[in-house]
Amino acid sequence: MMISIKNIEKHATPFYYYDINLLRRTLETVCKNASRYGYHIHYALKANFDKRILEEIKNFGLGADCVSGGEVRASVEAGFDPKKIVFAGVGKRDDEIIYALEKGIFAFNCESLEELEVINEIAGRMHTHATVALRINPDVDPQTHKNISTGHADSKFGIAYTEIEEAMAKIDALPNISIVGLHFHIGSQILNLDVFKNLCSRVVSIMSWFSEHGIEISYINVGGGLGVDYIAPETNPIPDFDTYFKVFHDNLPLKEGQTLHFELGRSIVCQCGTLISKVLYNKKTASGKNFVLIDASMTELIRPALYDAYHRIENLSNKHGNEVYSIAGGVCESSDIFARDIELPITKRGDYLAIRSAGAYGQAMASNYNLRPLPESVYSDSFIDF
Ligand code: LLP
């Protein structure tokens, strides 16, 4: 439910507003649909690592997918079971590997042959043993924005499928690591489910290489990537997890003892978050374009500037009249524009705007650029008058 103006006025803008009820309904739905097939979900912390959000997600029993020592720490501190934590990332630092080994995480998703050697070496020094999954780059086109595609052959992510044999020979020779499974992740904001069918068929053929070589793979992790409806968040607040999981059920047959894991981020937290901002100024350009300058900027939500991403914008203070506006932030960058030439009700200084579907990669990607403060979080259940 959208926050009321009365409650907005209690907070300094800009801030992130989280609908906890919607988050819980989303978690209920994803858990119900995954458990139908016995699938496991590791929440991708990179989408949103707000403490309260993490607590809600942890309460539903999800595992965690981390890409830095900081995220491993945040998930451990939030109470996620270390045995359900996986650690991916192309550039894991030694101190991060040490920390994850100390915490006894379930697996490192390894992204290069050299990384296997480094983890082996560190585990040996620590007199411990590391379980790894090979992140294999399957060369599948995710059909999404190029900046959020990871699974094509020449991306920096994962181990080339042409190097699988060499990786396995290496693991055999390294005494302090053992392989538990395979990991794949091809991209984010994927709306065409056929892409996941293509992923499944690549996974099936890669897995058959392993069984032909007598190697048992018990853990298969197909990453995240399920997209959300940015155009109509009100109509589609919860992604279609049912159909999504069914694609994997129908196209990725599991053998006895094999488990299928997912690393969902955006689809879990995106729609529960809204960036609330106040209008500062109106101005007109020489050619007659209307600009509305707001107190949020790319430092709170960088997605429009970075990916030309669309976020629905609503005027919460006025519903009357109609005008075409471009909505911009105050940072000294020409790309600091939330939307160009959109229709909104007449929008004046002091009006509150809601920038929707901002729960994923919004607050998590906020920065201090221009020495602007980081945005705060406000939760729907901190108010009683809804
Ligand atoms: N697993 C791995 C290995 C990943 O790299 C990612 C996202 C995920 C899981 C979670 O994917 P999701 O379910 O959220 O699609 N900042 C961009 C998105 C970057 C995604 C990076 N990796 C954006 O704002 O669109």
Side-chain angles (χ1 to χ4, degrees):
M1 188 183 299
M2 192 40 70
I3 185 170
S4 67
I5 296 287
K6 202 169 107 213
N7 283 329
I8 292 180
E9 284 168 347
K10 296 179 186 153
H11 296 273
T13 51
F15 63 85
Y16 273 90
Y17 168 76
Y18 292 109
D19 181 341
I20 296 296
N21 183 35
L22 175 58
L23 174 62
R24 289 184 185 158
R25 284 194 291 126
T26 308
L27 284 161
E28 267 161 31
T29 313
V30 72
C31 289
K32 190 180 83 195
N33 286 292
S35 68
R36 186 171 298 149
Y37 305 114
Y39 293 163
H40 302 262
I41 302 166
H42 304 261
Y43 166 64
L45 262 80
K46 62 177 82 65
N48 190 316
F49 43 79
D50 176 84
K51 281 206 170 90
R52 173 72 197 281
I53 301 279
L54 290 186
E55 185 191 327
E56 292 290 334
I57 295 173
K58 185 259 318 185
N59 287 345
F60 276 79
L62 273 67
D65 159 42
C66 305
V67 284
S68 71
E71 286 190 359
V72 175
R73 187 181 302 276
S75 52
V76 169
E77 284 174 3
F80 283 85
D81 178 357
K83 286 284 150 238
K84 290 185 184 172
I85 297 179
V86 290
F87 182 12
V90 277
K92 301 180 189 75
R93 294 195 315 251
D94 293 17
D95 62 299
E96 296 176 311
I97 296 171
I98 292 169
Y99 179 73
L101 281 170
E102 279 168 2
K103 293 295 158 195
I105 64 159
F106 171 64
F108 291 86
N109 292 332
C110 283
E111 308 222 13
S112 67
L113 300 191
E114 197 165 14
E115 184 189 328
L116 292 171
E117 286 172 14
V118 170
I119 295 179
N120 175 68
E121 203 258 312
I122 294 175
R125 258 193 279 139
M126 292 172 67
H127 305 289
T128 185
H129 193 88
T131 356
V132 303
L134 292 183
R135 174 172 182 178
I136 295 173
N137 185 329
D139 194 16
V140 172
D141 178 6
Q143 298 172 27
T144 182
H145 191 284
K146 71 172 170 39
N147 290 9
I148 50 176
S149 300
T150 52
H152 56 93
D154 284 328
S155 92
K156 69 172 178 177
F157 298 98
I159 294 175
Y161 61 87
T162 45
E163 281 188 340
I164 293 177
E165 196 156 357
E166 200 184 328
M168 287 313 299
K170 201 172 267 302
I171 291 174
D172 265 353
L174 297 172
N176 309 312
I177 60 175
S178 51
I179 183 168
V180 63
L182 302 176
H183 174 236
F184 306 86
H185 173 78
I186 52 171
S188 198
Q189 183 54 16
I190 297 169
L191 289 170
N192 178 359
L193 294 186
D194 283 344
V195 164
F196 293 113
K197 274 192 201 161
N198 299 342
L199 171 63
C200 288
S201 82
R202 290 293 289 143
V203 173
V204 167
S205 75
I206 290 168
M207 273 164 48
S208 64
W209 182 91
F210 282 86
S211 32
E212 278 158 23
H213 288 75
I215 302 160
E216 283 298 320
I217 291 297
S218 57
Y219 159 92
I220 302 145
N221 181 336
V222 286
L226 176 63
V228 303
D229 190 345
Y230 282 96
I231 314 280
E234 214 62 68
T235 326
N236 288 313
I238 301 178
D240 186 358
F241 294 111
D242 187 14
T243 314
Y244 171 67
F245 289 128
K246 198 166 180 311
V247 167
F248 288 89
H249 175 74
D250 293 346
N251 295 281
L252 186 46
L254 299 176
K255 294 203 190 112
E256 181 85 21
Q258 284 182 331
T259 53
L260 192 61
H261 298 245
F262 293 81
E263 298 172 341
L264 295 174
R266 187 189 317 262
S267 51
I268 294 177
V269 291
C270 194
Q271 301 291 31
C272 78
T274 302
L275 177 58
I276 306 284
S277 175
K278 201 173 183 172
V279 174
L280 294 172
Y281 304 106
N282 275 272
K283 66 195 274 185
K284 237 186 214 334
T285 66
S287 69
K289 255 186 194 306
N290 292 316
F291 264 106
V292 168
L293 280 305
I294 62 175
D295 64 2
S297 74
M298 65 192 286
T299 62
E300 288 77 32
L301 180 67
I302 201 173
R303 301 194 70 259
L306 204 53
Y307 319 111
D308 270 328
Y310 173 84
H311 285 260
R312 193 178 149 76
I313 300 179
E314 290 159 14
N315 186 329
L316 301 176
S317 307
N318 180 34
K319 306 282 174 215
H320 305 290
N322 228 352
E323 188 62 79
V324 174
Y325 299 103
S326 290
I327 314 293
V331 161
C332 308
E333 295 283 339
S334 337
S335 59
D336 185 19
I337 308 261
F338 286 103
R340 288 175 205 275
D341 302 324
I342 57 161
E343 277 195 19
L344 275 186
I346 302 298
T347 297
K348 300 182 305 296
R349 176 173 167 84
D351 285 356
Y352 289 106
L353 300 191
I355 304 177
R356 304 293 306 277
S357 313
Y361 307 107
Q363 197 170 13
M365 293 178 81
S367 82
N368 265 138
Y369 184 43
N370 284 190
L371 264 187
R372 293 169 60 95
L374 291 173
E376 311 244 309
S377 311
V378 172
Y379 310 100
S380 52
D381 57 0
S382 356
F383 303 113
I384 27 168
D385 56 342
F386 269 105

